[in-house]
């Protein structure tokens, strides 16, 4: 049974890896640029299992297990189990507190930390007054520059054919099924096609009249120069201040800043590349100012690197993953909100289970592409929204 995977980011590579481990194939992965050239190389790599839905928590628990396994399996990669500190204001905490029984039932460990407890555990870190910390002791982060080449190398070693600089322009349909893809180098036939592309999902799937309620938002992250004495801190999601930060390679600090008022960024062409995106230069200063509130006794080094990319969201804020009922042979995996890197180990495993076994070890019906009615999808796509509207949808699911 031949498989074609479209997209050489972490989701596509993970699906290829898990299928190859099952000796399912042959497997061909097509990437229109270098492997990892899109959203994956622009990811922060932070992971926590303490999400807002039962399916999300179950899948992230499996991700954390797999990151540990991959640290032993992949050459040159190591998951950093620093823990992940998720911060809340008094208002937002009242909503997240309702999820604690879910975490207890699913055995997702956590600690609730107040300001003085955070300062005692991580002396360099301070919480602004009134903030509450929800600490995930199993969380942490991955370095994308380590993980992507290590996963690609392992997939190749397992027999996956990775074809870079080969763009998919459409699909082959035969007898009501998806039977392959069209590329600039000719048609390729397969029994199964898995689409894991992010920013050009709608442009690609419109070729087969398959609308998915997906929107993109520009996001930016930065990395400092090395610090003489880097702070010992966990990965931190400081949602009340619209930032996140974590340690990075070589004594650096990585940080990202949200722009909730910015409207969606429409991608209409298969030729789109994220290098076309730009961030307001003032965001660097805003991020530095907000970071300094959490690290008040530290002189932050200057910014060394900037990455601008797209976050991908579905209409309800949950991922879209699984088979397309009306188009047998086609599977999709997209819209992992701001956590595609965190989801990738289990997302690839779930795709492999769908393809090879017809069922999954975790019930991910909440992620099904078929959960959206077509008229609702078309209405959603015809609207223009800002990123803050997506976060409201997610909070309403809590």
């Amino acid at each position: 049974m031949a498989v074609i995977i479209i997209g050489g980011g972490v989701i596509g590579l993970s699906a290829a890896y898990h299928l190859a481990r099952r000796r399912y194939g042959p497997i061909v992965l097509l990437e229109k640029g270098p492997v990892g050239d899109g959203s994956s190389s622009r990811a922060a790599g932070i992971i926590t299992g303490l999400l807002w839905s039962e399916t999300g928590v179950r899948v992230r628990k499996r991700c954390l297990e797999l990151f540990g396994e991959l640290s032993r399996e992949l050459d040159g990669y190591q998951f950093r189990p620093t823990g992940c500190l998720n911060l809340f204001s008094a208002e937002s905490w009242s909503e997240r507190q309702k999820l604690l029984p879910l975490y207890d039932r699913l055995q997702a460990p956590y600690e609730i930390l107040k300001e003085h407890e955070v300062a005692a555990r991580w002396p360099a870190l301070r919480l602004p007054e009134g903030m509450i910390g929800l600490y995930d002791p199993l969380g942490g982060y991955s370095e994308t520059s380590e993980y992507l080449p290590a996963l690609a190398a392992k997939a190749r070693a397992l027999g996956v054919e990775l074809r870079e600089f080969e763009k998919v322009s459409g699909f082959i349909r035969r007898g009501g099924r998806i039977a392959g893809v069209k590329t600039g180098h000719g048609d390729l036939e397969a029994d199964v096609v898995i689409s894991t592309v992010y920013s050009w999902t709608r442009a690609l799937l419109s070729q087969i009249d398959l609308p998915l309620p997906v929107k993109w938002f520009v996001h930016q992250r930065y990395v400092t120069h090395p610090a003489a004495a880097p702070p010992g801190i966990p990965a931190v999601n400081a949602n009340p201040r619209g930032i996140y930060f974590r340690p990075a390679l070589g004594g650096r600090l990585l940080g990202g800043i949200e722009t909730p008022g910015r409207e969606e960024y429409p991608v209409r062409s298969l030729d789109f590349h994220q290098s076309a995106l730009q961030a307001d230069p003032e965001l660097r200063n805003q991020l530095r100012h907000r970071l300094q509130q959490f690290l008040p006794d530290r002189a932050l080094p200057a910014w060394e690197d900037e990455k601008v990319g797209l976050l991908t969201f579905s209409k309800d804020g949950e991922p879209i993953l699984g088979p397309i009922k009306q188009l047998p042979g086609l599977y999709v995996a997209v819209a992992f909100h701001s956590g595609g890197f965190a989801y990738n180990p289990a997302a690839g495993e779930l795709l492999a289970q769908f393809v090879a076994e017809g069922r999954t070890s975790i019930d991910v019906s909440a992620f099904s592409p078929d959960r959206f009615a077509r008229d609702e999808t078309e209405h959603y796509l015809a609207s223009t929204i800002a990123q803050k509207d997506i976060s409201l949808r997610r909070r309403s699911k809590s």
Side-chain angles (χ1 to χ4, degrees), residues 7-141:
V10 287
I11 304 295
L13 289 170
S14 181
Y17 165 79
H18 283 286
L19 282 166
R21 288 193 65 187
R22 287 169 165 74
R23 301 185 185 279
Y24 195 99
I27 304 162
V28 178
L29 185 149
L30 305 175
E31 167 56 47
K32 72 174 184 175
V35 164
D37 188 44
S39 296
S40 297
S41 62
R42 294 162 170 80
I46 294 174
I47 180 170
T48 176
L50 304 178
L51 296 191
W52 51 84
S53 69
E54 178 165 345
T55 306
V57 174
R58 289 186 183 277
V59 174
R60 283 289 183 89
K61 278 192 67 179
R62 179 56 180 155
C63 286
L64 286 161
E65 294 171 354
L66 287 168
F67 274 123
E69 294 178 16
L70 289 164
S71 294
R72 298 185 291 272
E73 180 79 7
L74 304 182
D75 293 334
Y77 165 71
Q78 188 68 44
F79 178 68
R80 269 71 170 187
T82 58
C84 183
L85 183 63
N86 302 285
L87 301 181
F88 299 87
S89 64
E91 179 184 12
S92 60
W93 174 246
S94 66
E95 289 298 315
R96 184 52 60 107
Q97 197 170 20
K98 297 174 185 177
L99 294 174
L100 299 184
L102 171 66
Y103 301 156
D104 292 334
R105 177 165 59 84
L106 299 182
Q107 297 182 323
Y110 63 87
E111 297 178 58
I112 301 170
L113 301 177
K114 296 183 180 179
E115 298 165 37
H116 69 279
E117 294 170 312
V118 168
R121 188 170 301 189
W122 302 284
L125 188 60
R126 295 288 185 275
L127 297 193
E129 184 177 356
M131 277 195 190
I132 298 170
L134 181 65
Y135 179 62
D136 178 356
L138 300 182
Y141 67 93

Side-chain angles (χ1 to χ4, degrees), residues 260-330:
R262 186 157 50 189
E263 290 188 346
E264 64 186 88
Y265 186 97
V267 178
R268 298 185 175 91
S269 171
L270 297 178
D271 295 320
F272 171 78
H273 191 274
Q274 297 196 31
S275 60
L277 302 171
Q278 294 182 329
D280 184 343
E282 178 56 26
L283 291 172
R284 294 167 173 256
N285 298 328
Q286 292 181 21
L287 175 58
R288 176 176 294 277
H289 174 72
R290 296 181 197 182
L291 274 174
Q292 204 70 70
Q293 297 174 18
F294 293 92
L295 301 167
D297 299 326
R298 295 279 169 162
L300 296 178
W303 298 120
E304 180 182 52
D305 181 52
E306 174 189 72
K307 294 283 188 181
V308 184
L310 292 175
L311 303 180
T312 311
F313 293 87
S314 71
K315 180 177 183 292
D316 60 9
E318 295 283 15
I320 299 175
L321 186 149
I324 303 296
K325 184 177 181 180
Q326 69 268 32
L327 290 170
L330 178 63

Side-chain angles (χ1 to χ4, degrees), residues 116-303:
H116 69 279
E117 294 170 312
V118 168
R121 188 170 301 189
W122 302 284
L125 188 60
R126 295 288 185 275
L127 297 193
E129 184 177 356
M131 277 195 190
I132 298 170
L134 181 65
Y135 179 62
D136 178 356
L138 300 182
Y141 67 93
S142 296
E143 290 291 357
T144 62
S145 59
E146 295 177 342
Y147 185 79
L148 284 164
L151 186 58
K154 189 63 177 181
R156 285 191 178 99
L158 290 170
V160 176
E161 182 182 357
L162 270 60
R163 298 191 190 177
E164 297 177 297
F165 302 99
E166 187 154 356
K167 185 176 72 175
V168 172
S169 57
F171 296 87
I172 301 170
R173 299 178 68 164
R174 185 178 299 116
R177 295 181 57 86
I178 296 299
V181 299
K182 300 177 181 295
T183 80
H185 297 95
D187 293 353
L188 295 174
E189 298 199 2
D191 302 283
V192 171
V193 175
I194 302 174
S195 176
T196 68
V197 298
Y198 270 39
S199 56
W200 44 293
T201 290
R202 279 166 56 184
L204 179 63
L205 296 183
S206 67
Q207 311 291 318
I208 48 175
D209 190 31
L210 179 61
L212 293 176
V214 175
K215 292 181 181 289
W216 299 271
F217 301 88
V218 178
H219 184 74
Q220 49 284 314
R221 69 167 179 84
Y222 306 86
V223 179
T224 69
H225 285 277
I233 59 173
V236 180
N237 287 316
N239 293 328
R241 294 293 188 271
I243 65 171
Y244 57 80
F245 53 98
R246 65 162 174 84
L249 286 174
R252 295 170 171 84
L253 186 70
L254 179 149
I257 182 169
E258 295 181 359
T259 45
R262 186 157 50 189
E263 290 188 346
E264 64 186 88
Y265 186 97
V267 178
R268 298 185 175 91
S269 171
L270 297 178
D271 295 320
F272 171 78
H273 191 274
Q274 297 196 31
S275 60
L277 302 171
Q278 294 182 329
D280 184 343
E282 178 56 26
L283 291 172
R284 294 167 173 256
N285 298 328
Q286 292 181 21
L287 175 58
R288 176 176 294 277
H289 174 72
R290 296 181 197 182
L291 274 174
Q292 204 70 70
Q293 297 174 18
F294 293 92
L295 301 167
D297 299 326
R298 295 279 169 162
L300 296 178
W303 298 120

